[in-house]
Amino acid sequence: MGLIGSMLPAMGRQYWLVKQEPESYAWATFEEDGRTSWTGVRNYQARNNLRSMRAGDAVLYYHSVSDRQVVGVARVEKEAYPDPTATEGDWVAVDIVPVRKLKVPVNLAQLKEDPVTSEMLLIRHTRLSVVPVSEAQYLRILELGKTPR
DNA sequence: GCCAACGTTGGC
DNA sequence: GCCAACGTTGGC
């Protein structure tokens, strides 16, 4: 994040959630790497969400398929740029860095039970791999994960 | 492993 | 522009 980005007030921050199969790129690997380029998105709605990300936005990290739980919080480090893995088409990537692992992972069943998080696009639009999250939903997930802000 | 949901492709 | 066929995702 550049000087301007670091000076932006936190109140304008947006919240997101990205999905990844742990077999493809687990949170633990992400933490070891310290930073990653979020490439490979090939869905227009997901791409538009990547484009809307701003440096400093919070990104929940969800393990899909075999794990089905939110496991950590990341932060947008570099805003959308052309996806280097795309050989054709108009696709973008962003760079994210791990911020903290949730003290307790929050699983899909919990998210469905909770009245706040059950409205999430993660649940209502299951095939979208990059989704916006409301501040209330974000805070509720941290609470369920017994994780300080 | 199965299948429902969904997005994309291509024929017409 | 419609829609059937197909491929992929992801929960169960």
Side-chain angles (χ1 to χ4, degrees):
Chain A
M1 183 163 27
L3 180 62
I4 301 296
S6 65
M7 289 168 63
L8 286 172
M11 59 182 278
R13 186 165 72 148
Q14 305 173 99
Y15 305 90
W16 308 92
L17 180 145
V18 295
K19 290 196 289 195
Q20 183 59 271
E21 297 190 29
E23 290 76 14
S24 299
Y25 192 69
W27 170 265
T29 312
F30 178 34
E31 276 195 327
E32 284 164 22
D33 292 347
R35 176 175 182 146
T36 197
S37 179
W38 207 255
T39 59
V41 168
R42 297 293 182 271
N43 169 282
Y44 292 114
Q45 204 176 339
R47 180 204 63 189
N48 292 343
N49 288 334
L50 286 181
R51 281 219 176 103
S52 299
M53 290 185 178
R54 293 296 166 254
D57 284 358
V59 182
L60 294 165
Y61 201 99
Y62 176 81
H63 277 170
S64 63
V65 186
S66 60
D67 208 26
R68 274 165 279 137
Q69 53 191 4
V70 180
V71 293
V73 183
R75 174 166 46 79
V76 177
E77 189 73 4
K78 183 180 177 185
E79 296 176 8
Y81 56 93
D83 183 343
T85 70
T87 54
E88 61 173 9
D90 184 19
W91 303 109
V92 300
V94 298
D95 287 359
I96 59 175
V97 295
V99 173
R100 71 173 67 85
K101 184 180 178 177
L102 293 193
K103 192 173 177 191
V104 182
V106 180
N107 66 47
L108 185 60
Q110 288 176 277
L111 293 173
K112 285 182 172 175
E113 279 171 18
D114 186 273
V116 176
T117 58
S118 62
E119 295 303 310
M120 293 175 73
L121 282 176
L122 169 72
I123 291 157
R124 299 171 69 92
H125 195 160
T126 57
R127 305 220 19 221
L128 195 57
S129 64
V130 182
V131 292
V133 173
S134 74
E135 183 173 47
Q137 290 162 350
Y138 175 76
L139 294 174
R140 183 73 184 123
I141 288 171
L142 289 191
E143 189 183 344
L144 290 168
K146 306 193 187 310
T147 304
R149 296 204 213 175

